[in-house]
Amino acid sequence: MFNVHSYTGTKEENYAMVIKQLKSLVEGESNKIANLSNASALLNQFLDRINWVGFYLFEDEQLVLGPFQGLPACVRIPLGKGVCGTAAEKRETIVVPDVHAFPGHIACDANSRSEIVVPMIKNGKLIGVLDIDSPEKNRFDATDQKYLMQFTECLLQYID
């Protein structure tokens, strides 16, 4: 059974705790959808000031909506399009302080103002992306980037 912990430490300590919680949730489970679902739910309860968190999976040369928390979302995103498609194509994390200033931003939720997208790469193969949106500009910083990349790396150990 999963117990929700209060996150009362520093930002770094809290991220370390959520990564530890992720490992306990996914360890021993081989189903990708189950693990991605629990990972998105965990981030949704951990992160404040967000309005969407989830995964897009690489399939047939495009990103396809996977498990998420939030309002209904765009189902398919071509590589190179929007923040998710660009991060997937470049295979690098992208932090966008103001999505309206990002060329070609795909507005799935009109309330989103900032975004972070972390590509999920395992053994040189693109699996998908972790996408998190916020209704606030400048919501995500270098600490978020560092630890969300670690979160994703941990998760990738348990999915194919």
Side-chain angles (χ1 to χ4, degrees):
M1 181 171 154
F2 181 76
N3 292 319
V4 176
H5 294 274
S6 60
Y7 302 103
T8 56
T10 65
K11 189 172 187 176
E12 292 82 359
E13 291 168 340
N14 292 342
Y15 265 115
M17 172 64 75
V18 84
I19 291 168
K20 183 178 178 181
Q21 289 173 318
L22 171 68
K23 188 173 182 179
S24 71
L25 278 172
V26 299
E27 201 167 43
E29 179 53 60
S30 61
N31 185 279
K32 175 170 47 176
I33 299 302
N35 287 338
L36 293 172
S37 296
N38 271 335
S40 63
L42 178 62
L43 285 175
N44 189 56
Q45 68 89 31
F46 167 68
L47 294 168
D48 59 353
R49 304 177 345 264
I50 65 165
N51 59 334
W52 201 91
V53 57
F55 298 92
Y56 280 92
L57 302 174
F58 185 60
E59 181 179 300
D60 298 326
E61 300 305 311
Q62 62 187 331
L63 296 172
V64 179
L65 182 64
F68 71 93
Q69 302 279 310
L71 294 176
C74 302
V75 176
R76 296 181 183 273
I77 300 174
L79 287 185
K81 301 294 181 185
V83 182
C84 288
T86 301
E89 184 176 68
K90 291 184 174 183
R91 295 180 175 220
E92 64 185 40
T93 299
I94 297 177
V95 178
V96 181
D98 179 358
V99 295
H100 298 296
F102 188 88
H105 173 254
I106 301 170
C108 294
D109 182 344
N111 292 320
S112 292
R113 295 289 177 261
S114 61
E115 185 170 5
I116 184 168
V117 178
V118 180
M120 300 167 54
I121 300 165
K122 185 171 185 175
N123 299 324
K125 180 180 170 188
L126 178 66
I127 305 296
V129 298
L130 166 62
D131 179 25
I132 308 173
D133 296 348
S134 172
E136 295 179 10
K137 288 183 181 179
N138 300 301
R139 162 60 182 85
F140 305 104
D141 61 19
T143 301
D144 295 302
Q145 179 176 343
K146 174 183 175 182
Y147 285 97
L148 289 169
M149 289 172 68
Q150 288 180 16
F151 183 94
T152 302
E153 288 170 16
C154 177
L155 179 59
L156 281 168
Q157 295 175 41
Y158 300 95
I159 63 171
D160 291 321

Short mmCIF file of all heavy atoms in Angstrom, two decimals, residues 22-80:
data_model
loop_
_atom_site.label_atom_id
_atom_site.label_comp_id
_atom_site.label_asym_id
_atom_site.label_seq_id
_atom_site.Cartn_x
_atom_site.Cartn_y
_atom_site.Cartn_z
N LEU A 22 8.86 6.55 -6.02
CA LEU A 22 8.68 5.98 -7.35
C LEU A 22 9.26 4.57 -7.40
O LEU A 22 8.60 3.64 -7.87
CB LEU A 22 9.35 6.85 -8.42
CG LEU A 22 9.39 6.23 -9.82
CD1 LEU A 22 7.98 6.14 -10.41
CD2 LEU A 22 10.31 7.02 -10.72
N LYS A 23 10.48 4.43 -6.92
CA LYS A 23 11.14 3.13 -6.95
C LYS A 23 10.31 2.09 -6.21
O LYS A 23 10.13 0.96 -6.69
CB LYS A 23 12.55 3.23 -6.38
CG LYS A 23 13.35 1.97 -6.57
CD LYS A 23 14.80 2.15 -6.15
CE LYS A 23 15.55 0.86 -6.40
NZ LYS A 23 16.96 0.97 -6.04
N SER A 24 9.76 2.46 -5.06
CA SER A 24 8.97 1.48 -4.30
C SER A 24 7.66 1.15 -5.02
O SER A 24 7.14 0.05 -4.88
CB SER A 24 8.68 1.99 -2.88
OG SER A 24 7.76 3.06 -2.90
N LEU A 25 7.14 2.08 -5.81
CA LEU A 25 5.90 1.83 -6.57
C LEU A 25 6.12 0.91 -7.76
O LEU A 25 5.26 0.08 -8.07
CB LEU A 25 5.31 3.15 -7.08
CG LEU A 25 4.48 3.97 -6.13
CD1 LEU A 25 4.15 5.32 -6.75
CD2 LEU A 25 3.20 3.24 -5.77
N VAL A 26 7.23 1.07 -8.46
CA VAL A 26 7.42 0.35 -9.72
C VAL A 26 8.30 -0.90 -9.60
O VAL A 26 8.25 -1.75 -10.48
CB VAL A 26 7.99 1.29 -10.82
CG1 VAL A 26 7.01 2.43 -11.09
CG2 VAL A 26 9.35 1.83 -10.45
N GLU A 27 9.05 -1.00 -8.53
CA GLU A 27 9.94 -2.14 -8.35
C GLU A 27 9.11 -3.43 -8.32
O GLU A 27 8.13 -3.53 -7.59
CB GLU A 27 10.71 -1.98 -7.04
CG GLU A 27 11.98 -2.78 -6.96
CD GLU A 27 12.84 -2.33 -5.81
OE1 GLU A 27 12.30 -2.10 -4.71
OE2 GLU A 27 14.05 -2.19 -6.01
N GLY A 28 9.49 -4.37 -9.15
CA GLY A 28 8.79 -5.65 -9.18
C GLY A 28 7.60 -5.68 -10.13
O GLY A 28 6.99 -6.72 -10.31
N GLU A 29 7.27 -4.55 -10.74
CA GLU A 29 6.17 -4.51 -11.71
C GLU A 29 6.75 -4.33 -13.11
O GLU A 29 7.53 -3.42 -13.33
CB GLU A 29 5.20 -3.36 -11.39
CG GLU A 29 4.06 -3.24 -12.37
CD GLU A 29 3.28 -4.54 -12.56
OE1 GLU A 29 2.73 -5.06 -11.58
OE2 GLU A 29 3.25 -5.03 -13.71
N SER A 30 6.35 -5.18 -14.02
CA SER A 30 6.90 -5.11 -15.37
C SER A 30 5.97 -4.45 -16.38
O SER A 30 6.38 -4.16 -17.49
CB SER A 30 7.25 -6.52 -15.86
OG SER A 30 6.08 -7.31 -15.90
N ASN A 31 4.72 -4.17 -16.00
CA ASN A 31 3.79 -3.58 -16.95
C ASN A 31 4.07 -2.09 -17.13
O ASN A 31 3.99 -1.32 -16.17
CB ASN A 31 2.35 -3.81 -16.49
CG ASN A 31 1.36 -3.31 -17.50
OD1 ASN A 31 1.06 -2.12 -17.56
ND2 ASN A 31 0.86 -4.21 -18.33
N LYS A 32 4.37 -1.71 -18.36
CA LYS A 32 4.73 -0.32 -18.66
C LYS A 32 3.59 0.65 -18.33
O LYS A 32 3.82 1.69 -17.72
CB LYS A 32 5.13 -0.19 -20.13
CG LYS A 32 5.40 1.24 -20.55
CD LYS A 32 6.03 1.42 -21.90
CE LYS A 32 5.44 0.67 -23.02
NZ LYS A 32 6.07 0.98 -24.32
N ILE A 33 2.38 0.31 -18.72
CA ILE A 33 1.24 1.22 -18.50
C ILE A 33 0.98 1.40 -17.01
O ILE A 33 0.73 2.51 -16.55
CB ILE A 33 -0.02 0.72 -19.24
CG1 ILE A 33 0.23 0.67 -20.75
CG2 ILE A 33 -1.23 1.59 -18.90
CD1 ILE A 33 0.63 2.00 -21.38
N ALA A 34 1.05 0.33 -16.25
CA ALA A 34 0.87 0.43 -14.79
C ALA A 34 1.92 1.34 -14.17
O ALA A 34 1.60 2.22 -13.36
CB ALA A 34 0.92 -0.96 -14.16
N ASN A 35 3.17 1.16 -14.58
CA ASN A 35 4.25 1.97 -14.01
C ASN A 35 4.15 3.44 -14.43
O ASN A 35 4.37 4.34 -13.61
CB ASN A 35 5.61 1.39 -14.38
CG ASN A 35 5.89 0.11 -13.61
OD1 ASN A 35 5.32 -0.13 -12.55
ND2 ASN A 35 6.77 -0.72 -14.13
N LEU A 36 3.81 3.69 -15.68
CA LEU A 36 3.65 5.08 -16.13
C LEU A 36 2.44 5.73 -15.45
O LEU A 36 2.48 6.92 -15.11
CB LEU A 36 3.50 5.14 -17.65
CG LEU A 36 4.74 4.74 -18.45
CD1 LEU A 36 4.40 4.65 -19.94
CD2 LEU A 36 5.89 5.70 -18.21
N SER A 37 1.39 4.97 -15.24
CA SER A 37 0.21 5.50 -14.55
C SER A 37 0.53 5.89 -13.13
O SER A 37 0.17 6.99 -12.68
CB SER A 37 -0.92 4.45 -14.57
OG SER A 37 -1.33 4.17 -15.88
N ASN A 38 1.21 5.01 -12.41
CA ASN A 38 1.59 5.35 -11.04
C ASN A 38 2.58 6.50 -10.99
O ASN A 38 2.51 7.35 -10.09
CB ASN A 38 2.16 4.12 -10.32
CG ASN A 38 1.07 3.31 -9.64
OD1 ASN A 38 0.03 3.84 -9.29
ND2 ASN A 38 1.33 2.04 -9.45
N ALA A 39 3.49 6.56 -11.95
CA ALA A 39 4.46 7.66 -11.97
C ALA A 39 3.76 9.00 -12.19
O ALA A 39 4.08 9.99 -11.54
CB ALA A 39 5.50 7.42 -13.06
N SER A 40 2.79 9.05 -13.10
CA SER A 40 2.08 10.31 -13.34
C SER A 40 1.23 10.69 -12.13
O SER A 40 1.17 11.87 -11.76
CB SER A 40 1.23 10.26 -14.62
OG SER A 40 0.22 9.29 -14.54
N ALA A 41 0.61 9.72 -11.48
CA ALA A 41 -0.17 10.02 -10.28
C ALA A 41 0.72 10.52 -9.15
O ALA A 41 0.37 11.46 -8.43
CB ALA A 41 -0.94 8.77 -9.83
N LEU A 42 1.90 9.90 -9.00
CA LEU A 42 2.84 10.32 -7.96
C LEU A 42 3.29 11.76 -8.19
O LEU A 42 3.28 12.58 -7.27
CB LEU A 42 4.04 9.38 -7.94
CG LEU A 42 5.14 9.70 -6.93
CD1 LEU A 42 4.61 9.63 -5.51
CD2 LEU A 42 6.31 8.72 -7.11
N LEU A 43 3.68 12.08 -9.42
CA LEU A 43 4.11 13.46 -9.70
C LEU A 43 2.96 14.44 -9.53
O LEU A 43 3.17 15.57 -9.07
CB LEU A 43 4.68 13.56 -11.12
CG LEU A 43 6.08 12.98 -11.30
CD1 LEU A 43 6.48 13.04 -12.77
CD2 LEU A 43 7.10 13.71 -10.44
N ASN A 44 1.76 14.04 -9.87
CA ASN A 44 0.61 14.93 -9.74
C ASN A 44 0.35 15.30 -8.27
O ASN A 44 0.03 16.44 -7.97
CB ASN A 44 -0.64 14.29 -10.34
CG ASN A 44 -1.79 15.25 -10.43
OD1 ASN A 44 -1.68 16.32 -11.02
ND2 ASN A 44 -2.91 14.88 -9.83
N GLN A 45 0.52 14.34 -7.37
CA GLN A 45 0.30 14.67 -5.95
C GLN A 45 1.51 15.34 -5.33
O GLN A 45 1.38 16.06 -4.37
CB GLN A 45 -0.15 13.43 -5.17
CG GLN A 45 0.87 12.33 -4.99
CD GLN A 45 1.74 12.49 -3.76
OE1 GLN A 45 1.31 13.02 -2.75
NE2 GLN A 45 2.97 12.05 -3.85
N PHE A 46 2.70 15.16 -5.92
CA PHE A 46 3.91 15.76 -5.39
C PHE A 46 4.11 17.21 -5.83
O PHE A 46 4.43 18.07 -5.01
CB PHE A 46 5.13 14.92 -5.82
CG PHE A 46 6.45 15.60 -5.59
CD1 PHE A 46 6.93 15.84 -4.31
CD2 PHE A 46 7.24 16.02 -6.67
CE1 PHE A 46 8.15 16.48 -4.10
CE2 PHE A 46 8.45 16.65 -6.46
CZ PHE A 46 8.91 16.88 -5.18
N LEU A 47 3.92 17.47 -7.10
CA LEU A 47 4.21 18.80 -7.64
C LEU A 47 3.05 19.75 -7.40
O LEU A 47 1.90 19.40 -7.62
CB LEU A 47 4.48 18.71 -9.15
CG LEU A 47 5.75 17.95 -9.55
CD1 LEU A 47 5.75 17.69 -11.05
CD2 LEU A 47 6.99 18.73 -9.14
N ASP A 48 3.39 20.95 -6.98
CA ASP A 48 2.36 21.98 -6.82
C ASP A 48 2.38 22.89 -8.05
O ASP A 48 3.32 22.88 -8.83
CB ASP A 48 2.57 22.78 -5.52
CG ASP A 48 3.92 23.48 -5.47
OD1 ASP A 48 4.78 23.26 -6.36
OD2 ASP A 48 4.13 24.26 -4.54
N ARG A 49 1.33 23.61 -8.23
CA ARG A 49 1.22 24.62 -9.29
C ARG A 49 1.40 24.02 -10.69
O ARG A 49 2.02 24.61 -11.55
CB ARG A 49 2.20 25.76 -9.05
CG ARG A 49 2.01 26.41 -7.68
CD ARG A 49 2.99 27.50 -7.30
NE ARG A 49 4.20 27.66 -8.04
CZ ARG A 49 5.39 27.15 -7.69
NH1 ARG A 49 5.51 26.41 -6.61
NH2 ARG A 49 6.45 27.40 -8.42
N ILE A 50 0.83 22.82 -10.88
CA ILE A 50 0.82 22.23 -12.22
C ILE A 50 -0.64 21.94 -12.61
O ILE A 50 -1.50 21.83 -11.74
CB ILE A 50 1.66 20.93 -12.32
CG1 ILE A 50 1.08 19.82 -11.45
CG2 ILE A 50 3.11 21.21 -11.98
CD1 ILE A 50 1.63 18.45 -11.77
N ASN A 51 -0.89 21.84 -13.91
CA ASN A 51 -2.23 21.49 -14.35
C ASN A 51 -2.26 20.27 -15.26
O ASN A 51 -3.34 19.83 -15.66
CB ASN A 51 -2.92 22.69 -15.02
CG ASN A 51 -2.19 23.22 -16.22
OD1 ASN A 51 -0.97 23.09 -16.34
ND2 ASN A 51 -2.90 23.86 -17.12
N TRP A 52 -1.10 19.69 -15.56
CA TRP A 52 -1.06 18.47 -16.37
C TRP A 52 0.29 17.80 -16.18
O TRP A 52 1.32 18.47 -16.17
CB TRP A 52 -1.26 18.81 -17.86
CG TRP A 52 -1.71 17.65 -18.68
CD1 TRP A 52 -3.00 17.31 -18.95
CD2 TRP A 52 -0.89 16.68 -19.36
NE1 TRP A 52 -3.04 16.19 -19.74
CE2 TRP A 52 -1.75 15.77 -20.02
CE3 TRP A 52 0.48 16.48 -19.46
CZ2 TRP A 52 -1.30 14.70 -20.76
CZ3 TRP A 52 0.95 15.41 -20.20
CH2 TRP A 52 0.06 14.53 -20.85
N VAL A 53 0.26 16.48 -16.04
CA VAL A 53 1.49 15.70 -15.97
C VAL A 53 1.21 14.34 -16.58
O VAL A 53 0.19 13.71 -16.29
CB VAL A 53 2.03 15.55 -14.52
CG1 VAL A 53 1.00 14.94 -13.59
CG2 VAL A 53 3.32 14.75 -14.49
N GLY A 54 2.09 13.93 -17.48
CA GLY A 54 1.88 12.63 -18.09
C GLY A 54 2.95 12.28 -19.10
O GLY A 54 3.98 12.95 -19.20
N PHE A 55 2.65 11.25 -19.84
CA PHE A 55 3.61 10.68 -20.77
C PHE A 55 3.04 10.60 -22.18
O PHE A 55 1.85 10.34 -22.36
CB PHE A 55 4.01 9.27 -20.31
CG PHE A 55 4.66 9.27 -18.96
CD1 PHE A 55 3.91 9.09 -17.81
CD2 PHE A 55 6.02 9.48 -18.83
CE1 PHE A 55 4.50 9.12 -16.56
CE2 PHE A 55 6.63 9.50 -17.58
CZ PHE A 55 5.86 9.32 -16.44
N TYR A 56 3.91 10.85 -23.13
CA TYR A 56 3.64 10.56 -24.53
C TYR A 56 4.63 9.47 -24.92
O TYR A 56 5.82 9.57 -24.62
CB TYR A 56 3.83 11.80 -25.41
CG TYR A 56 2.65 12.74 -25.36
CD1 TYR A 56 2.61 13.78 -24.45
CD2 TYR A 56 1.58 12.58 -26.24
CE1 TYR A 56 1.52 14.64 -24.40
CE2 TYR A 56 0.49 13.43 -26.20
CZ TYR A 56 0.47 14.46 -25.28
OH TYR A 56 -0.62 15.30 -25.23
N LEU A 57 4.14 8.43 -25.59
CA LEU A 57 4.97 7.30 -25.96
C LEU A 57 5.28 7.34 -27.45
O LEU A 57 4.41 7.66 -28.27
CB LEU A 57 4.26 6.00 -25.60
CG LEU A 57 3.91 5.89 -24.11
CD1 LEU A 57 3.09 4.65 -23.84
CD2 LEU A 57 5.17 5.90 -23.26
N PHE A 58 6.51 7.01 -27.79
CA PHE A 58 6.96 7.02 -29.18
C PHE A 58 6.44 5.76 -29.88
O PHE A 58 6.73 4.64 -29.46
CB PHE A 58 8.48 7.09 -29.24
CG PHE A 58 9.02 7.23 -30.64
CD1 PHE A 58 8.69 8.32 -31.42
CD2 PHE A 58 9.88 6.27 -31.15
CE1 PHE A 58 9.20 8.46 -32.70
CE2 PHE A 58 10.40 6.40 -32.44
CZ PHE A 58 10.05 7.50 -33.21
N GLU A 59 5.66 5.99 -30.93
CA GLU A 59 5.03 4.88 -31.65
C GLU A 59 4.78 5.32 -33.09
O GLU A 59 4.22 6.39 -33.32
CB GLU A 59 3.71 4.55 -30.95
CG GLU A 59 2.92 3.42 -31.51
CD GLU A 59 1.66 3.19 -30.71
OE1 GLU A 59 1.75 2.91 -29.49
OE2 GLU A 59 0.57 3.32 -31.30
N ASP A 60 5.19 4.50 -34.04
CA ASP A 60 4.97 4.81 -35.46
C ASP A 60 5.49 6.20 -35.84
O ASP A 60 4.81 6.97 -36.51
CB ASP A 60 3.48 4.69 -35.83
CG ASP A 60 2.95 3.28 -35.62
OD1 ASP A 60 3.72 2.33 -35.83
OD2 ASP A 60 1.77 3.14 -35.24
N GLU A 61 6.70 6.52 -35.36
CA GLU A 61 7.38 7.77 -35.70
C GLU A 61 6.66 9.03 -35.22
O GLU A 61 6.81 10.11 -35.79
CB GLU A 61 7.65 7.86 -37.21
CG GLU A 61 8.53 6.73 -37.75
CD GLU A 61 9.87 6.62 -37.02
OE1 GLU A 61 10.55 7.65 -36.86
OE2 GLU A 61 10.22 5.49 -36.61
N GLN A 62 5.85 8.90 -34.15
CA GLN A 62 5.19 10.05 -33.53
C GLN A 62 4.99 9.77 -32.05
O GLN A 62 5.19 8.65 -31.59
CB GLN A 62 3.85 10.32 -34.21
CG GLN A 62 2.85 9.18 -34.10
CD GLN A 62 1.61 9.42 -34.92
OE1 GLN A 62 1.21 10.54 -35.14
NE2 GLN A 62 0.99 8.34 -35.37
N LEU A 63 4.59 10.79 -31.32
CA LEU A 63 4.28 10.63 -29.90
C LEU A 63 2.79 10.41 -29.75
O LEU A 63 1.98 11.14 -30.35
CB LEU A 63 4.72 11.87 -29.11
CG LEU A 63 6.22 12.15 -29.10
CD1 LEU A 63 6.50 13.51 -28.46
CD2 LEU A 63 6.97 11.04 -28.36
N VAL A 64 2.42 9.41 -28.96
CA VAL A 64 1.02 9.07 -28.74
C VAL A 64 0.74 9.20 -27.24
O VAL A 64 1.53 8.73 -26.41
CB VAL A 64 0.71 7.64 -29.22
CG1 VAL A 64 -0.75 7.29 -28.98
CG2 VAL A 64 1.06 7.50 -30.70
N LEU A 65 -0.38 9.80 -26.91
CA LEU A 65 -0.76 10.03 -25.52
C LEU A 65 -0.72 8.73 -24.72
O LEU A 65 -1.25 7.71 -25.14
CB LEU A 65 -2.17 10.63 -25.47
CG LEU A 65 -2.73 10.98 -24.09
CD1 LEU A 65 -1.90 12.08 -23.44
CD2 LEU A 65 -4.19 11.40 -24.22
N GLY A 66 -0.09 8.82 -23.55
CA GLY A 66 -0.03 7.70 -22.62
C GLY A 66 -0.69 8.10 -21.31
O GLY A 66 -1.47 9.06 -21.26
N PRO A 67 -0.38 7.39 -20.22
CA PRO A 67 -0.97 7.70 -18.93
C PRO A 67 -0.67 9.14 -18.49
O PRO A 67 0.44 9.64 -18.68
CB PRO A 67 -0.29 6.70 -17.99
CG PRO A 67 0.06 5.55 -18.88
CD PRO A 67 0.46 6.19 -20.18
N PHE A 68 -1.69 9.79 -17.92
CA PHE A 68 -1.54 11.18 -17.49
C PHE A 68 -2.53 11.52 -16.40
O PHE A 68 -3.47 10.77 -16.14
CB PHE A 68 -1.71 12.13 -18.69
CG PHE A 68 -3.13 12.23 -19.21
CD1 PHE A 68 -3.99 13.21 -18.75
CD2 PHE A 68 -3.59 11.33 -20.15
CE1 PHE A 68 -5.30 13.31 -19.23
CE2 PHE A 68 -4.88 11.41 -20.64
CZ PHE A 68 -5.74 12.40 -20.17
N GLN A 69 -2.33 12.69 -15.81
CA GLN A 69 -3.24 13.30 -14.84
C GLN A 69 -3.54 14.71 -15.34
O GLN A 69 -2.61 15.47 -15.61
CB GLN A 69 -2.59 13.38 -13.46
CG GLN A 69 -2.13 12.05 -12.89
CD GLN A 69 -3.25 11.27 -12.26
OE1 GLN A 69 -4.01 11.80 -11.45
NE2 GLN A 69 -3.37 10.00 -12.63
N GLY A 70 -4.80 15.06 -15.48
CA GLY A 70 -5.17 16.38 -15.94
C GLY A 70 -6.32 16.32 -16.93
O GLY A 70 -6.95 15.28 -17.08
N LEU A 71 -6.55 17.44 -17.60
CA LEU A 71 -7.62 17.51 -18.59
C LEU A 71 -7.27 16.67 -19.81
O LEU A 71 -6.09 16.38 -20.05
CB LEU A 71 -7.83 18.97 -19.01
CG LEU A 71 -8.36 19.92 -17.94
CD1 LEU A 71 -8.42 21.34 -18.48
CD2 LEU A 71 -9.74 19.48 -17.47
N PRO A 72 -8.27 16.29 -20.61
CA PRO A 72 -7.98 15.57 -21.86
C PRO A 72 -6.93 16.33 -22.67
O PRO A 72 -6.87 17.56 -22.64
CB PRO A 72 -9.33 15.55 -22.58
CG PRO A 72 -10.33 15.61 -21.46
CD PRO A 72 -9.71 16.50 -20.42
N ALA A 73 -6.11 15.56 -23.40
CA ALA A 73 -4.95 16.15 -24.06
C ALA A 73 -4.90 15.76 -25.53
O ALA A 73 -5.62 14.88 -25.99
CB ALA A 73 -3.68 15.67 -23.35
N CYS A 74 -4.00 16.40 -26.23
CA CYS A 74 -3.73 16.06 -27.63
C CYS A 74 -3.31 14.59 -27.67
O CYS A 74 -2.54 14.14 -26.83
CB CYS A 74 -2.59 16.92 -28.18
SG CYS A 74 -2.92 18.69 -28.07
N VAL A 75 -3.80 13.86 -28.66
CA VAL A 75 -3.55 12.43 -28.72
C VAL A 75 -2.24 12.11 -29.45
O VAL A 75 -1.47 11.28 -29.00
CB VAL A 75 -4.73 11.68 -29.37
CG1 VAL A 75 -4.42 10.19 -29.52
CG2 VAL A 75 -5.98 11.87 -28.52
N ARG A 76 -1.98 12.79 -30.55
CA ARG A 76 -0.78 12.49 -31.34
C ARG A 76 0.00 13.78 -31.61
O ARG A 76 -0.58 14.80 -31.95
CB ARG A 76 -1.16 11.84 -32.66
CG ARG A 76 -1.82 10.48 -32.45
CD ARG A 76 -2.19 9.80 -33.75
NE ARG A 76 -2.88 8.55 -33.45
CZ ARG A 76 -2.27 7.40 -33.24
NH1 ARG A 76 -0.96 7.33 -33.32
NH2 ARG A 76 -2.96 6.31 -32.96
N ILE A 77 1.32 13.67 -31.45
CA ILE A 77 2.20 14.81 -31.69
C ILE A 77 3.33 14.35 -32.61
O ILE A 77 4.08 13.43 -32.25
CB ILE A 77 2.78 15.36 -30.37
CG1 ILE A 77 1.65 15.83 -29.45
CG2 ILE A 77 3.76 16.49 -30.65
CD1 ILE A 77 2.12 16.26 -28.06
N PRO A 78 3.48 14.97 -33.77
CA PRO A 78 4.58 14.60 -34.66
C PRO A 78 5.93 15.02 -34.06
O PRO A 78 6.03 16.02 -33.34
CB PRO A 78 4.31 15.41 -35.94
CG PRO A 78 2.90 15.86 -35.83
CD PRO A 78 2.59 15.96 -34.37
N LEU A 79 6.97 14.25 -34.36
CA LEU A 79 8.32 14.64 -33.94
C LEU A 79 8.63 16.02 -34.51
O LEU A 79 8.28 16.31 -35.65
CB LEU A 79 9.36 13.63 -34.42
CG LEU A 79 9.39 12.29 -33.72
CD1 LEU A 79 10.55 11.46 -34.24
CD2 LEU A 79 9.49 12.43 -32.22
N GLY A 80 9.26 16.84 -33.70
CA GLY A 80 9.65 18.18 -34.13
C GLY A 80 8.57 19.22 -33.96
O GLY A 80 8.81 20.39 -34.21
#
